[in-house]
Amino acid sequence: MLASPRLFYVLKFAGPALVLVWLIAYMISDQPAYDNVVRQFKNERDVFIADFLDYEVGGELDGSSISELCASKTWTPGLMLSCDPQSGGFGQVKDAHLNCIRFAIEAGAELVLPRIIKRDDKNIANTRPKNGGGPYIGEFIDYLFDFEYLNQTLSQHCPQLRLYRSMNELWDVPQVQSARKISLQDVGVKLNGSVIEDMNALPEQIKSYIDRTENPETRPFPIRFKSDIITSAFPTAYGNQELAKNFGRLLRPRKDARVLAGIALYNLHKKYHLNLDPKQGFQHSTFPGLHLRTEADAAPIFPPFDDQVASLLGFVTNTSTEFAFVATGETEEHRRAFAKKAEAVDVTLVFKQDLLLDEPEGRELLEQLTWDQRALVDYEIMLRAGLAVGLGESSFDWNIALRRRVVPGAEGEAHSPPTSSPIQYQDRYSILLGSSEKGNTLRATVWP
Ligand SMILES: *[C@@H]1O[C@H](CO)[C@@H](O)[C@H](O)[C@H]1NC(C)=O
Ligand SMILES: *[C@@H]1O[C@H](CO)[C@@H](O)[C@H](O)[C@H]1NC(C)=O
Ligand SMILES: *[C@@H]1O[C@H](CO)[C@@H](O)[C@H](O)[C@H]1NC(C)=O
């Protein structure tokens, strides 16, 4: 039994403890109240970045069209597909990887995710550095993309598709260590340029090629087929329009790059009093984002430096804009040269380095990233520009423009000064300059 002074002692502490327990229970049962209390303890910057990560441009991925697609296919147990690793930048690798995922779905096969060839960071024009003559192995998909998110989203919306992060997961399956070759050409797909003409025929064409090559009665189980890199092949206009909007969302940039973009955008917002709220998406009036694509690997596809600079400046000259964000992997020397030309028309150019290198966290995170990983930071910032100006030959820019096209209010034309360059695409939030055949193909095949 408790002695009475002891009882008094217990009650003295139990009372406040009970109140505290009740308060916590109340806050947890009332989630918004709880969130508000937690938010007050976080500083403004952390809240901004958390919101930036939570509220994606175009809203949350809606997987129902992916579920429908997967449910409509015939799945063959023990049939595996892998694809050669892709090199190059975000847009190029994203295209190849999505094509590989889509090819596996059309084939009704299990998928070994493709890997990514890392470019030579000391000579960025060298996208496929020599590796002693052997086949390219490459980095895990995590090198550019958020694997957890992809795996989680596919498990939820396409449970039929069995996914392997890499061949490492299959080390103990001898049958699949070597692979038979498969390609769109092999299966007899009719292409218009690189684009598949008849999507309806594709699943049957793949199946009949596979069964012709390896008799289903006698072939090893499991069996792996390996495809070349597939580029700009699947027409997004085919099938469900929701699929065109959501399929590309499977590949989201890796988290550290998104965090950095959140920090950079917060710093931009403070520096220029932008009144940005990542929960509200973006507004046309916020800031212009310009893509300068003149780095060492850009020629001969993209116009020369002086031409790009002149047309980009056309968008900010004689507007009320006092600054513009510039997405680029250019050298410091070229960034300065561009900034100087912009100063002559009273516009300050802001690069990601300006927003990140002055603070310890931003500097440390940015310096850890490779050149292609840094481009993901630009990508995430450009998604939130009031007006994004890019190039029709760039899959990076098509990813941005087509992703933003679904944001309410995008219909119509960009309110911008006329430019002498031809315009390949425009809506209220994005303009892509150019008039190339490549641009038309990208328009038809990029899953944003
Ligand atoms: C992918 O997700 C599934 C389902 O949630 C899980 O069982 C599996 O372990 C995940 N794979 C990896 C490599 O994390
Ligand atoms: C091939 O693609 C081009 C656009 O790139 C289009 O204009 C043309 O109609 C297509 N041809 C066929 C036969 O579909
Ligand atoms: C900007 O305005 C000045 C003065 O009004 C004019 O001389 C110049 O041509 C304009 N520049 C452009 C690119 O429109």
Side-chain angles (χ1 to χ4, degrees), residues 51-73:
D51 286 343
F52 178 91
L53 295 172
D54 283 349
Y55 291 82
E56 293 191 61
V57 171
E60 259 180 58
L61 180 150
D62 173 354
S64 52
S65 54
I66 298 172
S67 302
E68 259 173 56
L69 176 73
C70 290
S72 73
K73 302 298 170 193

Side-chain angles (χ1 to χ4, degrees), residues 71-116:
S72 73
K73 302 298 170 193
T74 309
W75 296 84
T76 306
L79 175 63
M80 270 182 209
L81 181 81
S82 61
C83 298
D84 284 340
Q86 174 65 305
S87 58
F90 169 72
Q92 215 178 338
V93 176
K94 185 177 174 216
D95 173 57
H97 279 43
L98 287 169
N99 290 335
C100 185
I101 296 170
R102 183 65 183 273
F103 195 31
I105 294 174
E106 296 296 323
E110 301 177 8
L111 174 66
V112 184
L113 285 171
R115 301 175 67 130
I116 302 170

Side-chain angles (χ1 to χ4, degrees), residues 313-319 345 417-418:
L313 284 182
F315 284 91
V316 289
T317 306
N318 293 0
T319 62
V345 294

Side-chain angles (χ1 to χ4, degrees), residues 86 92 95-96 99 184 194-195 228-234 441 445:
Q86 174 65 305
Q92 215 178 338
D95 173 57
N99 290 335
L184 289 176
S194 63
V195 185
D228 307 342
I229 294 163
I230 308 172
T231 305
S232 298
F234 293 91
T441 303
T445 57

Side-chain angles (χ1 to χ4, degrees), residues 192-193 195 197 437 440-441 444:
N192 177 7
V195 185
E197 273 189 1
E437 193 48 47
N440 290 334
T441 303

Side-chain angles (χ1 to χ4, degrees), residues 83-383:
C83 298
D84 284 340
Q86 174 65 305
S87 58
F90 169 72
Q92 215 178 338
V93 176
K94 185 177 174 216
D95 173 57
H97 279 43
L98 287 169
N99 290 335
C100 185
I101 296 170
R102 183 65 183 273
F103 195 31
I105 294 174
E106 296 296 323
E110 301 177 8
L111 174 66
V112 184
L113 285 171
R115 301 175 67 130
I116 302 170
I117 298 171
K118 200 167 149 184
R119 83 172 74 212
D120 180 355
D121 250 11
K122 300 209 169 58
N123 169 19
I124 57 153
N126 184 7
T127 56
R128 300 175 81 85
K130 286 213 174 62
N131 63 340
Y136 284 103
I137 295 180
E139 311 293 315
F140 286 133
I141 192 165
D142 320 50
Y143 177 62
L144 294 178
F145 304 105
D146 185 338
F147 166 76
E148 300 300 331
Y149 180 76
L150 170 69
N151 184 44
Q152 205 183 16
T153 313
L154 276 179
S155 326
Q156 189 183 350
H157 299 294
C158 189
Q160 300 90 340
L161 177 65
R162 181 141 184 217
L163 210 59
Y164 302 92
R165 183 156 171 255
S166 77
M167 283 301 294
N168 297 1
E169 281 186 36
L170 292 160
W171 65 273
D172 58 349
V173 187
Q175 300 92 311
V176 300
Q177 297 310 310
S178 64
R180 284 67 172 165
K181 184 179 164 307
I182 192 171
S183 70
L184 289 176
Q185 285 79 7
D186 289 339
V187 306
V189 170
K190 212 165 145 217
L191 299 174
N192 177 7
S194 63
V195 185
I196 299 169
E197 273 189 1
D198 185 359
M199 284 292 295
N200 285 319
L202 184 60
E204 189 47 45
Q205 286 172 316
I206 299 173
K207 183 174 185 332
S208 97
Y209 171 79
I210 286 176
D211 291 352
R212 243 180 8 250
T213 320
E214 289 285 343
N215 184 341
E217 303 296 325
T218 55
R219 71 191 179 203
F221 183 100
I223 186 168
R224 177 165 67 101
F225 282 79
K226 183 166 81 77
S227 167
D228 307 342
I229 294 163
I230 308 172
T231 305
S232 298
F234 293 91
T236 53
Y238 171 80
N240 189 334
Q241 274 317 284
E242 288 305 307
L243 185 68
K245 279 187 212 161
N246 289 286
F247 191 67
R249 301 281 299 278
L250 288 171
L251 292 182
R252 180 163 89 176
R254 51 188 273 152
K255 175 102 180 262
D256 52 2
R258 294 175 66 231
V259 169
L260 264 176
I263 297 174
L265 199 65
Y266 177 76
N267 290 342
L268 189 72
H269 149 89
K270 287 312 258 187
K271 191 166 176 183
Y272 290 98
H273 313 287
L274 290 182
N275 201 21
L276 293 179
D277 178 359
K279 289 203 295 299
Q280 307 297 329
F282 58 86
Q283 282 82 42
H284 189 67
S285 59
T286 52
F287 65 94
L290 314 174
H291 183 200
L292 178 69
R293 184 70 181 92
T294 52
E295 304 90 339
D297 65 336
I301 300 169
F302 298 98
F305 185 83
D306 288 337
D307 295 7
Q308 283 189 46
V309 161
S311 39
L312 290 177
L313 284 182
F315 284 91
V316 289
T317 306
N318 293 0
T319 62
S320 57
T321 301
E322 50 178 294
F323 79 98
F325 175 78
V326 180
T328 189
E330 262 294 6
T331 59
E332 186 169 2
E333 186 193 345
H334 284 157
R335 295 200 304 269
R336 288 229 172 110
F338 186 15
K340 212 167 155 207
K341 295 202 166 164
E343 258 164 43
V345 294
D346 289 329
V347 174
T348 305
L349 297 186
V350 182
F351 301 88
K352 59 183 168 300
Q353 289 84 353
D354 303 323
L355 299 169
L356 293 168
L357 293 184
D358 289 343
E359 58 158 279
E361 191 191 359
R363 170 179 285 273
E364 196 190 327
L365 278 169
L366 187 68
E367 284 179 348
Q368 281 166 11
L369 299 185
T370 65
W371 192 79
D372 283 305
Q373 291 170 338
R374 288 176 192 188
L376 303 174
V377 180
D378 278 336
Y379 169 74
E380 287 283 330
I381 298 172
M382 286 291 277
L383 277 179

